[in-house]
Amino acid sequence: SPKTDLVIAWSRLQGLDGFELPRALRGRADTSTIPVIVLRSAIDDEAEEGARLAQAALTAVFSGDTATVLAAIDHVLKVKA
């Protein structure tokens, strides 16, 4: 079966707090080690705290610049390796 190397989630999902996903993954033995990058549209302390509590691997501010997201992905995958 395919293995998931990384999950990328938006911090504000319709009907779902984007930090619920990392918490749910951490709560299952088969997904607890998958790194999660949480993207958000602005820097704010609430989002940083939510990511920390959800044990997200990284949060990144996304302003339409894909280089930021690609750098975050590269960083997390290098740390995981």
Coordinates of all heavy atoms in Angstrom, one line a residue:
S1 N 0.8 -1.2 0.0 CA 0.0 0.0 0.0 C 0.9 1.2 0.0 O 2.0 1.3 0.6 CB -0.9 0.0 1.2 OG -0.2 0.2 2.4
P2 N 0.4 2.3 -0.6 CA 1.2 3.6 -0.7 C 1.4 4.2 0.7 O 0.5 4.1 1.5 CB 0.4 4.5 -1.6 CG -0.7 3.7 -2.1 CD -0.8 2.4 -1.4
K3 N 2.6 4.8 0.9 CA 2.9 5.4 2.2 C 2.8 6.9 2.0 O 3.3 7.5 1.0 CB 4.2 5.0 2.6 CG 4.6 5.5 4.0 CD 6.0 5.0 4.4 CE 6.4 5.5 5.8 NZ 6.8 6.8 5.8
T4 N 2.2 7.6 2.9 CA 2.1 9.1 2.9 C 3.4 9.6 3.5 O 3.7 9.3 4.7 CB 0.9 9.6 3.6 OG1 -0.3 9.0 3.1 CG2 0.8 11.1 3.6
D5 N 4.1 10.5 2.8 CA 5.3 11.1 3.3 C 5.1 12.4 4.0 O 5.8 12.9 4.8 CB 6.3 11.4 2.1 CG 6.8 10.1 1.6 OD1 7.2 9.2 2.4 OD2 6.9 9.9 0.3
L6 N 4.0 13.1 3.6 CA 3.8 14.5 4.1 C 2.3 14.8 3.8 O 1.7 14.5 2.8 CB 4.7 15.4 3.3 CG 4.5 16.9 3.5 CD1 5.0 17.3 4.9 CD2 5.3 17.7 2.5
V7 N 1.7 15.6 4.7 CA 0.4 16.1 4.6 C 0.5 17.7 4.6 O 1.2 18.2 5.5 CB -0.6 15.6 5.7 CG1 -1.9 16.4 5.6 CG2 -0.8 14.1 5.6
I8 N -0.2 18.3 3.7 CA -0.3 19.8 3.7 C -1.7 20.2 3.9 O -2.6 19.7 3.1 CB 0.3 20.4 2.3 CG1 1.7 19.9 2.1 CG2 0.1 21.9 2.3 CD1 2.3 20.3 0.8
A9 N -2.0 21.0 4.8 CA -3.4 21.4 5.1 C -3.5 23.0 5.3 O -2.5 23.6 5.7 CB -3.8 20.8 6.4
W10 N -4.6 23.5 4.9 CA -4.9 24.9 5.1 C -5.4 25.1 6.6 O -6.1 24.3 7.0 CB -5.9 25.4 4.1 CG -6.0 26.9 4.1 CD1 -7.1 27.6 4.5 CD2 -5.1 27.8 3.5 NE1 -6.8 28.9 4.3 CE2 -5.6 29.1 3.7 CE3 -3.8 27.7 2.9 CZ2 -5.0 30.2 3.2 CZ3 -3.2 28.8 2.5 CH2 -3.8 30.1 2.6
S11 N -5.0 26.2 7.3 CA -5.4 26.4 8.7 C -6.9 26.6 8.8 O -7.4 26.4 9.9 CB -4.6 27.5 9.3 OG -4.8 28.7 8.7
R12 N -7.5 27.1 7.8 CA -8.9 27.4 7.9 C -9.7 26.7 6.8 O -9.7 27.1 5.7 CB -9.2 28.9 7.7 CG -8.4 29.8 8.7 CD -9.3 30.3 9.8 NE -8.5 31.3 10.5 CZ -8.3 31.2 11.8 NH1 -8.6 30.1 12.5 NH2 -7.6 32.1 12.5
L13 N -10.2 25.6 7.2 CA -11.0 24.7 6.2 C -12.5 24.9 6.5 O -12.9 25.1 7.7 CB -10.6 23.3 6.4 CG -9.2 22.9 6.2 CD1 -8.9 21.5 6.6 CD2 -8.7 23.1 4.8
Q14 N -13.3 24.9 5.5 CA -14.7 25.0 5.7 C -15.3 23.9 6.6 O -15.1 22.7 6.2 CB -15.4 25.1 4.3 CG -16.9 25.4 4.4 CD -17.6 25.5 3.1 OE1 -16.9 25.5 2.1 NE2 -18.9 25.7 3.1
G15 N -15.8 24.3 7.7 CA -16.5 23.4 8.6 C -15.5 22.6 9.4 O -15.8 21.6 10.1
L16 N -14.2 22.9 9.3 CA -13.2 22.2 10.0 C -12.0 23.1 10.4 O -11.5 23.8 9.5 CB -12.6 21.0 9.2 CG -11.5 20.1 9.7 CD1 -12.0 19.3 10.8 CD2 -11.0 19.3 8.6
D17 N -11.6 23.1 11.6 CA -10.4 23.8 12.0 C -9.2 23.0 11.4 O -9.1 21.8 11.6 CB -10.3 23.8 13.6 CG -9.0 24.3 14.1 OD1 -8.0 24.4 13.4 OD2 -9.0 24.6 15.3
G18 N -8.4 23.7 10.7 CA -7.2 23.1 10.0 C -6.3 22.4 10.9 O -5.5 21.6 10.5
F19 N -6.3 22.7 12.2 CA -5.5 22.0 13.2 C -6.1 20.7 13.7 O -5.4 20.0 14.4 CB -5.1 23.0 14.3 CG -4.4 24.2 13.8 CD1 -5.0 25.5 13.8 CD2 -3.1 24.1 13.2 CE1 -4.3 26.6 13.3 CE2 -2.5 25.2 12.7 CZ -3.1 26.4 12.8
E20 N -7.3 20.5 13.4 CA -7.9 19.2 13.8 C -7.3 18.0 13.0 O -7.1 16.9 13.6 CB -9.4 19.2 13.5 CG -10.2 20.1 14.5 CD -11.7 20.2 14.2 OE1 -12.2 19.1 13.7 OE2 -12.2 21.2 14.4
L21 N -6.9 18.3 11.8 CA -6.3 17.2 11.0 C -5.0 16.7 11.6 O -4.8 15.5 11.8 CB -6.1 17.7 9.6 CG -5.4 16.7 8.6 CD1 -6.2 15.4 8.5 CD2 -5.2 17.3 7.3
P22 N -4.0 17.6 11.9 CA -2.8 17.1 12.6 C -3.1 16.4 13.9 O -2.4 15.4 14.2 CB -1.9 18.3 12.8 CG -2.5 19.4 11.9 CD -3.9 19.0 11.6
R23 N -4.0 16.9 14.7 CA -4.3 16.2 15.9 C -4.9 14.8 15.7 O -4.5 13.9 16.4 CB -5.3 17.1 16.7 CG -4.7 18.3 17.4 CD -5.7 18.9 18.4 NE -6.8 19.5 17.7 CZ -6.9 20.8 17.4 NH1 -5.8 21.6 17.7 NH2 -7.9 21.3 16.8
A24 N -5.7 14.7 14.7 CA -6.3 13.4 14.4 C -5.2 12.4 13.9 O -5.2 11.3 14.3 CB -7.4 13.6 13.3
L25 N -4.3 12.9 13.1 CA -3.2 12.1 12.6 C -2.3 11.6 13.7 O -1.9 10.5 13.8 CB -2.4 12.8 11.5 CG -3.1 13.0 10.2 CD1 -2.2 13.9 9.3 CD2 -3.4 11.7 9.5
R26 N -2.1 12.5 14.7 CA -1.2 12.2 15.8 C -1.9 11.1 16.7 O -1.2 10.4 17.4 CB -0.9 13.4 16.7 CG -0.1 14.5 16.0 CD 1.3 14.0 15.7 NE 1.9 14.9 14.7 CZ 2.0 14.6 13.4 NH1 1.6 13.5 12.9 NH2 2.6 15.5 12.6
G27 N -3.2 11.1 16.7 CA -4.0 10.2 17.5 C -4.1 8.8 17.0 O -4.6 7.9 17.7
R28 N -3.5 8.5 15.9 CA -3.6 7.1 15.3 C -2.2 6.6 15.1 O -1.3 7.3 14.6 CB -4.3 7.2 13.9 CG -5.7 7.6 13.9 CD -6.3 7.6 12.6 NE -5.8 6.4 11.8 CZ -6.5 5.9 10.8 NH1 -7.6 6.4 10.4 NH2 -6.0 4.9 10.2
A29 N -2.0 5.4 15.5 CA -0.7 4.7 15.5 C -0.1 4.7 14.0 O 1.1 4.9 13.8 CB -0.7 3.3 16.1
D30 N -1.0 4.4 13.1 CA -0.5 4.3 11.7 C -0.2 5.6 11.0 O 0.4 5.6 9.9 CB -1.5 3.4 10.9 CG -2.9 4.1 10.8 OD1 -3.3 4.8 11.7 OD2 -3.6 3.8 9.8
T31 N -0.6 6.7 11.6 CA -0.4 8.0 10.9 C 0.4 9.0 11.9 O 0.6 10.1 11.5 CB -1.7 8.7 10.5 OG1 -2.5 8.9 11.6 CG2 -2.4 7.9 9.4
S32 N 0.7 8.6 13.0 CA 1.3 9.5 14.0 C 2.6 10.1 13.7 O 3.0 11.2 14.2 CB 1.4 8.8 15.4 OG 2.3 7.8 15.3
T33 N 3.3 9.5 12.8 CA 4.7 10.0 12.4 C 4.7 10.8 11.1 O 5.7 11.3 10.7 CB 5.7 8.9 12.3 OG1 5.3 8.0 11.3 CG2 5.8 8.2 13.6
I34 N 3.5 11.0 10.5 CA 3.5 11.7 9.2 C 3.6 13.2 9.5 O 2.8 13.8 10.3 CB 2.2 11.5 8.4 CG1 2.0 10.0 8.1 CG2 2.1 12.3 7.2 CD1 0.7 9.6 7.5
P35 N 4.6 13.9 8.9 CA 4.7 15.3 9.2 C 3.6 16.1 8.5 O 3.1 15.7 7.4 CB 6.1 15.7 8.6 CG 6.4 14.6 7.7 CD 5.7 13.4 8.1
V36 N 3.1 17.2 9.1 CA 2.0 18.0 8.6 C 2.5 19.4 8.5 O 3.0 20.0 9.5 CB 0.8 17.9 9.5 CG1 -0.3 18.8 9.0 CG2 0.3 16.5 9.7
I37 N 2.4 20.0 7.3 CA 2.6 21.5 7.1 C 1.2 22.1 7.1 O 0.4 21.7 6.4 CB 3.3 21.8 5.8 CG1 4.7 21.1 5.8 CG2 3.4 23.3 5.6 CD1 5.5 21.3 4.5
V38 N 1.1 23.1 8.0 CA -0.2 23.9 8.0 C 0.0 25.2 7.4 O 0.9 26.0 7.8 CB -0.7 24.0 9.5 CG1 -2.0 24.9 9.5 CG2 -0.9 22.7 10.1
L39 N -0.7 25.5 6.3 CA -0.6 26.8 5.6 C -1.6 27.8 6.2 O -2.7 27.4 6.5 CB -0.8 26.6 4.1 CG 0.2 25.7 3.4 CD1 -0.3 25.6 1.9 CD2 1.6 26.2 3.5
R40 N -1.2 29.0 6.2 CA -2.2 30.1 6.7 C -2.0 31.3 5.9 O -0.9 31.5 5.3 CB -2.1 30.3 8.2 CG -0.7 30.8 8.6 CD -0.6 30.8 10.2 NE 0.4 31.6 10.6 CZ 1.7 31.2 10.7 NH1 2.0 30.0 10.3 NH2 2.6 32.0 11.1
S41 N -2.9 32.2 5.9 CA -2.8 33.4 5.0 C -2.1 34.6 5.7 O -1.8 35.5 5.0 CB -4.2 33.8 4.6 OG -5.0 34.1 5.7
A42 N -1.9 34.5 7.0 CA -1.3 35.6 7.7 C -0.6 35.1 8.9 O -0.9 34.0 9.4 CB -2.3 36.7 8.1
I43 N 0.4 35.9 9.4 CA 1.0 35.6 10.7 C 0.1 36.0 11.8 O -0.3 37.1 11.9 CB 2.4 36.3 10.8 CG1 3.3 35.8 9.7 CG2 3.0 36.1 12.1 CD1 4.6 36.6 9.6
D44 N -0.2 35.1 12.7 CA -0.9 35.4 13.9 C -0.6 34.4 15.0 O -0.3 33.3 14.7 CB -2.4 35.5 13.6 CG -3.1 34.2 13.3 OD1 -3.1 33.3 14.1 OD2 -3.7 34.1 12.2
D45 N -0.6 34.9 16.2 CA -0.2 34.1 17.4 C -1.1 32.9 17.6 O -0.7 31.9 18.0 CB -0.1 35.0 18.6 CG 1.0 36.0 18.6 OD1 2.0 35.7 17.8 OD2 1.0 37.0 19.3
E46 N -2.4 33.1 17.3 CA -3.4 32.1 17.5 C -3.1 30.9 16.6 O -3.1 29.7 17.0 CB -4.8 32.6 17.2 CG -5.9 31.6 17.4 CD -7.3 32.1 17.1 OE1 -7.5 33.3 17.3 OE2 -8.1 31.3 16.7
A47 N -2.7 31.2 15.3 CA -2.4 30.1 14.4 C -1.1 29.4 14.8 O -1.0 28.2 14.7 CB -2.3 30.6 13.0
E48 N -0.1 30.1 15.3 CA 1.1 29.5 15.7 C 0.8 28.6 16.9 O 1.4 27.5 17.0 CB 2.1 30.6 16.1 CG 2.9 31.2 15.0 CD 3.8 30.2 14.3 OE1 4.4 29.3 14.9 OE2 3.8 30.2 13.1
E49 N 0.0 29.1 17.8 CA -0.3 28.2 19.0 C -1.1 27.0 18.6 O -0.9 25.9 19.1 CB -1.1 29.1 20.0 CG -1.4 28.3 21.3 CD -0.2 27.9 22.2 OE1 0.9 28.3 21.9 OE2 -0.4 27.2 23.2
G50 N -2.0 27.2 17.7 CA -2.8 26.0 17.2 C -1.9 25.0 16.6 O -2.1 23.8 16.8
A51 N -1.0 25.4 15.8 CA 0.0 24.5 15.1 C 0.8 23.8 16.1 O 1.1 22.6 16.0 CB 0.8 25.2 14.1
R52 N 1.3 24.5 17.1 CA 2.1 23.9 18.2 C 1.4 22.8 18.9 O 1.8 21.7 19.1 CB 2.7 25.0 19.1 CG 3.7 24.4 20.2 CD 4.0 25.5 21.2 NE 2.9 25.8 22.1 CZ 2.4 25.1 23.0 NH1 2.9 23.9 23.3 NH2 1.4 25.5 23.8
L53 N 0.1 23.2 19.3 CA -0.7 22.2 20.1 C -1.1 21.0 19.3 O -1.2 19.9 19.8 CB -1.9 22.9 20.6 CG -1.7 24.0 21.7 CD1 -3.0 24.7 22.0 CD2 -1.1 23.4 23.0
A54 N -1.2 21.2 18.0 CA -1.6 20.1 17.1 C -0.4 19.3 16.7 O -0.5 18.3 16.0 CB -2.3 20.6 15.8
Q55 N 0.8 19.7 17.1 CA 2.1 19.1 16.7 C 2.3 19.0 15.2 O 2.8 18.1 14.7 CB 2.2 17.7 17.3 CG 2.1 17.7 18.8 CD 2.1 16.2 19.4 OE1 1.8 15.3 18.7 NE2 2.4 16.1 20.6
A56 N 2.0 20.2 14.6 CA 2.3 20.3 13.2 C 3.8 20.4 13.0 O 4.5 21.0 13.8 CB 1.6 21.5 12.6
A57 N 4.3 19.8 11.9 CA 5.8 19.9 11.7 C 6.2 21.3 11.4 O 7.3 21.7 11.8 CB 6.1 19.0 10.5
L58 N 5.3 22.1 10.8 CA 5.7 23.4 10.4 C 4.5 24.2 10.0 O 3.5 23.6 9.5 CB 6.7 23.3 9.2 CG 7.2 24.6 8.6 CD1 8.3 25.2 9.5 CD2 7.9 24.3 7.3
T59 N 4.5 25.5 10.3 CA 3.4 26.3 9.7 C 4.1 27.3 8.7 O 5.3 27.7 8.9 CB 2.7 27.2 10.8 OG1 3.6 28.0 11.4 CG2 2.0 26.2 11.7
A60 N 3.5 27.7 7.7 CA 4.0 28.6 6.7 C 2.9 29.5 6.2 O 1.8 29.2 6.1 CB 4.5 27.8 5.5
V61 N 3.3 30.8 6.1 CA 2.4 31.8 5.6 C 2.4 31.7 4.1 O 3.5 31.8 3.5 CB 2.8 33.2 6.1 CG1 1.9 34.3 5.4 CG2 2.7 33.3 7.6
F62 N 1.3 31.6 3.5 CA 1.2 31.4 2.0 C 0.5 32.7 1.5 O -0.7 33.0 1.8 CB 0.4 30.2 1.6 CG 0.2 30.1 0.1 CD1 1.3 29.8 -0.6 CD2 -1.0 30.2 -0.5 CE1 1.2 29.7 -2.0 CE2 -1.1 30.0 -1.8 CZ 0.0 29.8 -2.6
S63 N 1.2 33.4 0.7 CA 0.7 34.7 0.1 C 0.6 34.6 -1.4 O 0.7 35.6 -2.1 CB 1.5 35.8 0.5 OG 2.9 35.7 0.1
G64 N 0.5 33.4 -1.9 CA 0.4 33.2 -3.4 C 1.8 32.8 -4.0 O 1.9 32.5 -5.1
D65 N 2.8 32.9 -3.1 CA 4.2 32.6 -3.6 C 4.4 31.1 -3.4 O 4.6 30.6 -2.3 CB 5.1 33.4 -2.8 CG 6.6 33.1 -3.2 OD1 6.8 32.5 -4.2 OD2 7.5 33.5 -2.3
T66 N 4.4 30.3 -4.4 CA 4.6 28.9 -4.3 C 6.0 28.5 -3.8 O 6.2 27.5 -3.2 CB 4.4 28.1 -5.7 OG1 5.2 28.7 -6.7 CG2 2.9 28.2 -6.0
A67 N 7.0 29.4 -4.0 CA 8.4 29.1 -3.5 C 8.4 28.9 -2.0 O 9.1 28.1 -1.5 CB 9.3 30.3 -3.9
T68 N 7.5 29.7 -1.3 CA 7.5 29.5 0.2 C 7.0 28.1 0.5 O 7.6 27.5 1.4 CB 6.5 30.6 0.7 OG1 6.9 31.9 0.4 CG2 6.4 30.4 2.3
V69 N 6.0 27.7 -0.1 CA 5.4 26.3 0.1 C 6.5 25.3 -0.2 O 6.7 24.3 0.5 CB 4.1 26.1 -0.6 CG1 3.6 24.7 -0.4 CG2 3.1 27.1 -0.1
L70 N 7.1 25.4 -1.4 CA 8.1 24.4 -1.8 C 9.3 24.4 -0.9 O 9.8 23.3 -0.5 CB 8.5 24.7 -3.2 CG 7.5 24.5 -4.3 CD1 8.0 25.0 -5.7 CD2 7.0 23.1 -4.4
A71 N 9.7 25.5 -0.4 CA 10.8 25.6 0.6 C 10.4 24.9 1.9 O 11.2 24.1 2.5 CB 11.2 27.0 0.9
A72 N 9.1 25.1 2.3 CA 8.6 24.4 3.6 C 8.6 22.9 3.4 O 9.0 22.1 4.2 CB 7.3 24.9 3.9
I73 N 8.1 22.4 2.2 CA 8.1 21.0 1.9 C 9.5 20.4 1.9 O 9.7 19.4 2.5 CB 7.4 20.8 0.5 CG1 5.9 21.1 0.6 CG2 7.6 19.3 0.1 CD1 5.2 21.2 -0.7
D74 N 10.4 21.1 1.2 CA 11.8 20.6 1.2 C 12.4 20.5 2.6 O 13.0 19.5 2.9 CB 12.6 21.6 0.3 CG 14.0 21.1 0.1 OD1 14.1 19.9 -0.4 OD2 15.0 21.8 0.3
H75 N 12.1 21.5 3.4 CA 12.7 21.5 4.8 C 12.1 20.3 5.6 O 12.9 19.6 6.2 CB 12.3 22.8 5.5 CG 12.6 22.8 6.9 ND1 13.9 22.9 7.4 CD2 11.8 22.7 8.0 CE1 13.9 22.9 8.7 NE2 12.6 22.7 9.1
V76 N 10.8 20.1 5.5 CA 10.2 19.1 6.3 C 10.7 17.7 5.9 O 11.0 16.8 6.7 CB 8.7 19.2 6.3 CG1 8.0 17.9 6.9 CG2 8.3 20.4 7.1
L77 N 10.8 17.5 4.6 CA 11.2 16.2 4.0 C 12.7 15.9 4.4 O 13.0 14.8 4.6 CB 10.9 16.1 2.6 CG 9.4 16.0 2.2 CD1 9.3 16.0 0.7 CD2 8.7 14.8 2.8
K78 N 13.5 16.9 4.4 CA 14.9 16.8 4.7 C 15.1 16.4 6.2 O 15.9 15.6 6.6 CB 15.7 18.0 4.4 CG 16.0 18.2 3.0 CD 16.9 19.4 2.7 CE 17.1 19.5 1.2 NZ 17.8 20.8 0.9
V79 N 14.3 17.1 7.1 CA 14.3 16.8 8.5 C 13.8 15.4 8.8 O 14.4 14.7 9.6 CB 13.4 17.8 9.3 CG1 13.2 17.4 10.7 CG2 14.1 19.2 9.2
K80 N 12.8 14.9 8.0 CA 12.2 13.6 8.2 C 13.2 12.5 7.8 O 13.3 11.4 8.4 CB 11.0 13.4 7.4 CG 10.3 12.1 7.6 CD 9.0 12.0 6.8 CE 8.4 10.6 6.9 NZ 7.3 10.4 6.1
A81 N 14.0 12.8 6.8 CA 15.0 11.8 6.2 C 16.1 11.5 7.2 O 16.5 11.4 8.1 CB 15.6 12.3 5.0

